[in-house]
Every structure is written in structure tokens, then in C-alpha cells.
Amino acid sequence: MKHQDTRSFITDDQAEQMGADMAMQFMLMTLFQLLSEMADDPRGFRTDVHRELTDLVASYKLPPMPEDAERKVRAAAGKILDGIMMRSFEQNRVRNSS
């Protein structure tokens, strides 16, 4: 039985897009972390921003697509937002405990 290398399924364009997505997420996470550290109430700030962005994801007008695809797009956006917010929160908690 031959095993296919899983990396062969990723094209150069897809790899470039994935790298760009990662870089943007890291930049956004860093900016968000800086802003939340400057806030009077960092936890409240993060909660408010997360709520606003979640509402925006839910109401953003997407181009026409099947309902299933739209759900997946919105779920992916929500997952990324959750990840950015959680990493920011975790980094802040580690800094404050040191």
C-alpha cells in the first residue's frame, strides 16, 4: 500500500494564502493585546470588542452562496476571533501573574 504525502495536497498558492492568514492573525492579536493593555478595564474591553465583532460576523453581507457555505464562513470567522481574543487574554494573564 502506498502512502501519499499529505503536503502534496497543498498548492503553492494555498500555502502562500495560509501564511498570509497566519501573519494577519498574529498582527491583529498583537494590536488587540496592545489596545487591551491600555484600557482601564482590559477584561471588559476584550468582552465588548469580542461582542461587537461577533455581531459584525453574524450580520456581515456576504456575496451570494449556498447557505451551508455561508454558515461555514461565519463559523470560521468566529473561530478565528475567539482564538485571537483567547490568546490575547491568556498572554495578559501570564504577564500579570509574573
Side-chain angles (χ1 to χ4, degrees), residues 5 9 13 16 18-19 25 44-45 52 54 59 62 66 71 81 91 97-98:
D5 186 1
F9 292 110
D13 288 344
E16 189 172 317
M18 289 170 70
Q25 287 179 42
F45 174 80
E52 291 295 322
T54 300
S59 63
L62 293 169
R71 268 195 310 277
L81 287 176
Q91 288 176 350
S97 66
S98 356

Side-chain angles (χ1 to χ4, degrees), residues 80-93:
I80 290 168
L81 287 176
D82 289 347
I84 289 171
M85 300 298 173
M86 183 52 74
R87 284 186 287 245
S88 176
F89 175 72
E90 290 298 320
Q91 288 176 350
N92 194 39
R93 194 170 71 191

Side-chain angles (χ1 to χ4, degrees), residues 19-78:
D21 290 346
M22 284 175 53
M24 285 187 278
Q25 287 179 42
F26 294 151
M27 287 188 312
L28 288 171
M29 184 180 69
T30 300
L31 289 171
F32 183 72
Q33 178 66 33
L34 291 170
L35 289 172
S36 67
E37 286 176 2
M38 291 188 282
D40 292 334
D41 178 13
R43 179 177 231 139
F45 174 80
R46 284 189 295 272
T47 300
D48 291 346
V49 170
H50 186 266
R51 181 178 35 253
E52 291 295 322
L53 291 174
T54 300
D55 290 348
L56 184 60
V57 165
S59 63
Y60 186 78
K61 182 156 175 55
L62 293 169
M65 65 179 71
E67 194 174 313
D68 185 46
E70 182 177 334
R71 268 195 310 277
K72 288 178 183 178
V73 168
R74 292 186 195 282

Side-chain angles (χ1 to χ4, degrees), residues 3-15 18:
H3 294 285
Q4 182 142 9
D5 186 1
T6 58
R7 290 175 288 169
S8 66
F9 292 110
I10 297 175
T11 67
D12 288 344
D13 288 344
Q14 289 170 324
M18 289 170 70

